[in-house]
Amino acid sequence: WIENILAAKKSNKRAKPKHFIEFYENLVEFWQSCNQLLANHQLLEEVKQLAKVKPNCLANEKHLLTYFPYQLKTKELLDPVNVIKQIFKGNKLIKAQQTLNELIRASLNNNYTVEKLSDIITLYSHIKKLMAVCWLIHERVITKNSLSSINYSNSLTSFALTAPSLFITKEAKDPFLVVEGFFNFTNLSGYRAELQKSYISAITEEVSHESPSTLLFIHDQYVSLIQAGYLIVSKNLKYISKADKNNGITFGKWLLNVRNRQVKEGKIELSDEKVHVLNMQERTNPIVYCKEILTLENVIKLRSTLKAWLYAGLSNQSSTANYETINSFEFYLILQKLTEAFYLIITANAEEPVYS
């Protein structure tokens, strides 16, 4: 809402005036509540002591909380109440209310000219920071989620912000089902070809992807693979081949049978279905590579770069150069390596000699 006003963009046509009013009223109430907390010195001191944490607690919170405010500095994370004091230093309540009033007028009138953008920018910055520290206080003092013991068997909690949707119960319990679904779509050479198209459209400003729907599908496929991989390494799961579907054979065996048939029919070359990017050590133990790459912090970066690739690939006027969190070529290699690693895991012990 505020970013659109700062960028002089018109409001979304689907946004109704009542939505702006509701959000405005919530912000005013939120701002006033923080100011009232500061006025109650006894309560403020109690909250301050309960909300303060030691540096070693932050690592745990990154796993425990469904949202962790990475944008805050370490000293702000350790003592969030002090941040509220700094924001309200100099009795800024009246000034904030005046600026919020101007914001709502600008939202309801596209012809309204904001006079003091600097005030809005300052308020915007303060609101974002205030929400972040109040969330921390809420999780430490009210719900006490920050005090919970880390349970890596429930990695969905810490992963909530890194994917647009969580798996159904069956997939969350056995994320290898998602990996099998990933390879049910196409083979190694197929994913290599699609990744190359996505990579070129992402890094080349004047080139967009030839098929937006395919680009979106491949994006979603890798979101699912990364999410499943994160759950697998967090829970330290092992792949157990089950011959209870695919005509009584394991999925890995079925996958190789499809490959072998396509090789014999001349549709693909056997060499195209071999591992190309993983080094020899990584090929010997692919799950170790997955554990090194799929840490929570890395997964967040991978998801962010995937989104950057999607946006750049849908446009012929942008590239990932200005907003990628991982170098595009490095990211290109990581996706190829993850694809190969899980392919090796799924097809382990199912390989038989094939002659093209």
Side-chain angles (χ1 to χ4, degrees), residues 292-307:
E292 291 174 355
I293 290 297
L294 296 175
T295 63
L296 180 61
E297 290 186 357
N298 281 347
V299 164
I300 293 172
K301 293 178 182 178
L302 291 172
R303 285 280 295 115
S304 177
T305 306
L306 261 178
K307 184 184 291 185

Side-chain angles (χ1 to χ4, degrees), residues 40-244:
N40 189 331
H41 300 295
Q42 182 178 349
L43 177 60
L44 181 68
E45 186 58 31
E46 292 177 2
V47 173
K48 180 181 176 68
Q49 296 306 317
L50 290 171
K52 286 177 69 174
V53 297
K54 296 180 179 179
N56 59 348
C57 294
L58 299 181
N60 289 345
E61 283 188 323
K62 291 176 182 179
H63 290 279
L64 290 167
L65 303 185
T66 55
Y67 166 72
F68 186 82
Y70 286 93
Q71 72 273 26
L72 295 178
K73 298 177 181 178
T74 300
K75 65 178 182 180
E76 294 172 334
L77 293 168
L78 298 177
D79 188 1
V81 169
N82 193 52
V83 178
I84 301 178
K85 290 182 178 180
Q86 293 299 318
I87 290 175
F88 281 86
K89 193 174 182 179
N91 191 21
K92 296 188 175 72
L93 178 61
I94 295 177
K95 182 68 174 179
Q97 289 177 326
Q98 291 173 343
T99 307
L100 283 170
N101 286 335
E102 188 168 7
L103 277 171
I104 194 63
R105 286 196 294 270
S107 301
L108 299 175
N109 183 358
N110 286 330
N111 297 319
Y112 184 86
T113 302
V114 177
E115 295 181 359
K116 294 184 178 180
L117 279 176
S118 60
D119 290 344
I120 294 179
I121 293 171
T122 300
L123 180 67
Y124 173 61
S125 174
H126 285 164
I127 287 174
K128 289 184 71 175
K129 182 171 286 191
L130 198 58
M131 286 183 173
V133 296
C134 285
W135 165 258
L136 273 183
I137 293 170
H138 177 270
E139 294 298 276
R140 291 172 183 175
V141 180
I142 300 175
T143 67
K144 296 182 171 29
N145 287 329
S146 293
L147 305 178
S148 305
S149 298
I150 296 178
N151 180 8
Y152 286 101
S153 65
N154 186 20
S155 305
L156 286 171
T157 301
S158 57
F159 195 78
L161 291 185
T162 69
S165 62
L166 299 179
F167 296 143
I168 60 176
T169 303
K170 181 172 67 173
E171 294 170 334
K173 186 177 180 180
D174 183 9
F176 276 111
L177 293 174
V178 179
V179 179
E180 290 181 347
F182 178 85
F183 287 109
N184 196 41
F185 166 65
T186 189
N187 48 31
L188 274 182
S189 59
Y191 275 115
R192 285 196 190 102
E194 293 299 338
L195 282 177
Q196 186 176 37
K197 293 177 185 177
S198 298
Y199 172 62
I200 292 173
S201 64
I203 66 171
T204 311
E205 186 170 347
E206 63 274 11
V207 174
S208 60
H209 197 280
E210 62 186 19
S211 173
S213 60
T214 301
L215 175 63
L216 179 59
F217 179 77
I218 294 299
H219 166 271
D220 290 346
Q221 285 289 89
Y222 276 97
V223 167
S224 296
L225 183 67
I226 290 170
Q227 179 176 351
Y230 173 76
L231 296 178
I232 288 166
V233 300
S234 297
K235 296 179 179 182
N236 200 27
L237 299 178
K238 298 186 185 304
Y239 181 59
I240 301 175
S241 302
K242 297 178 182 178
D244 56 357

Side-chain angles (χ1 to χ4, degrees), residues 2-16:
I2 301 176
E3 286 171 356
N4 283 341
I5 294 173
L6 292 173
K9 293 181 180 179
K10 291 186 177 181
S11 303
N12 190 314
K13 292 181 180 180
R14 290 174 293 181
K16 298 179 180 179

